[in-house]
Amino acid sequence: FYGSFNNTVKQNNLTENRGHGLAPAVCGNSIENNIAGAGKPVMYRENAQGLEISDTDKYSEIVLCNVSDSVIKNISIDNRGLDSDGVLMVASDNNTVKNSYFEDVRTAVYFYRDSERNFVDGNIVKSSDIGLRLRLDSDDNRLEANSIEEAGTYIKALRNSTGNDFVKNTIEETQFSIL
């Protein structure tokens, strides 16, 4: 997906893979009706504003591409075997992920390519590879009061991600706290 646009990714089974289920690096593709993780649907939304995704456990992964001012709350994602991410945001700003539960995901909440001013609050992450990840100019995000247990890495910040706040998080039994 690096530099790739106008592609269609439809009705694929992306289960039992070690890593990301569906991880677009750019927006501008048609992505629909795919499954990943524990065989549940991937929710993909692009070019949207004001979404609310709440009170559900029906998705294996939630991918937001160029989405702003949206709320994800009270969701549960358990992928048995680190087969996909929990919530992946690409070029998405001013969104909130709160009071949700992630287990056995590759990365619980992943900000990628200019995802800025997002708020991650009060989430529980267990037995996952990476708790929270920021990459490629994902700036000014706030991660507060999250609980990360038995993860390989609590937080991974890579390539020019600056101005992020990590406040009152609990980290237990992780291999690395912050990379």
Side-chain angles (χ1 to χ4, degrees):
F1 278 125
Y2 288 100
S4 298
F5 303 97
N6 299 317
N7 296 294
T8 299
V9 180
K10 185 176 180 179
Q11 297 178 336
N12 294 286
N13 181 339
L14 307 169
T15 58
E16 299 186 35
N17 294 298
R18 186 81 172 161
H20 308 289
L22 180 64
V26 295
C27 303
N29 295 288
S30 176
I31 300 173
E32 58 186 91
N33 299 325
N34 297 287
I35 61 170
K40 295 180 180 181
V42 174
M43 173 190 255
Y44 180 84
R45 296 293 183 268
E46 185 172 327
N47 301 325
Q49 184 175 355
L51 299 174
E52 182 171 321
I53 304 162
S54 63
D55 305 307
T56 186
D57 66 352
K58 71 178 186 179
Y59 300 111
S60 63
E61 186 172 32
I62 296 171
V63 181
L64 304 180
C65 208
N66 194 31
V67 171
S68 64
D69 305 307
S70 296
V71 176
I72 298 170
K73 66 180 182 179
N74 303 322
I75 65 161
S76 178
I77 295 178
D78 182 347
N79 281 326
R80 299 185 313 248
L82 311 176
D83 291 337
S84 62
D85 295 309
V87 174
L88 169 62
M89 294 189 198
V90 180
S92 294
D93 302 329
N94 300 313
N95 299 294
T96 299
V97 179
K98 69 180 188 175
N99 301 331
S100 294
Y101 179 81
F102 303 93
E103 186 168 359
D104 289 326
V105 294
R106 171 94 161 96
T107 302
V109 180
Y110 189 169
F111 297 122
Y112 192 68
R113 286 194 181 267
D114 301 308
S115 290
E116 301 176 344
R117 298 172 308 281
N118 296 292
F119 184 52
V120 179
D121 175 52
N123 299 288
I124 297 171
V125 180
K126 288 189 174 188
S127 304
S128 297
D129 189 27
I130 300 170
L132 308 164
R133 188 176 203 175
L134 301 115
R135 189 167 180 191
L136 291 173
D137 301 310
S138 291
D139 303 329
D140 303 316
N141 297 289
R142 185 170 179 92
L143 299 92
E144 183 172 335
N146 298 287
S147 174
I148 317 294
E149 300 173 22
E150 301 171 17
T153 304
Y154 154 62
I155 178 106
K156 200 169 198 176
L158 299 168
R159 296 198 182 140
N160 303 325
S161 293
T162 60
N164 296 291
D165 293 323
F166 309 100
V167 180
K168 297 181 184 176
N169 296 289
T170 301
I171 307 156
E172 296 179 15
E173 299 181 48
T174 61
Q175 183 177 359
F176 301 103
S177 291
I178 298 175
L179 282 179

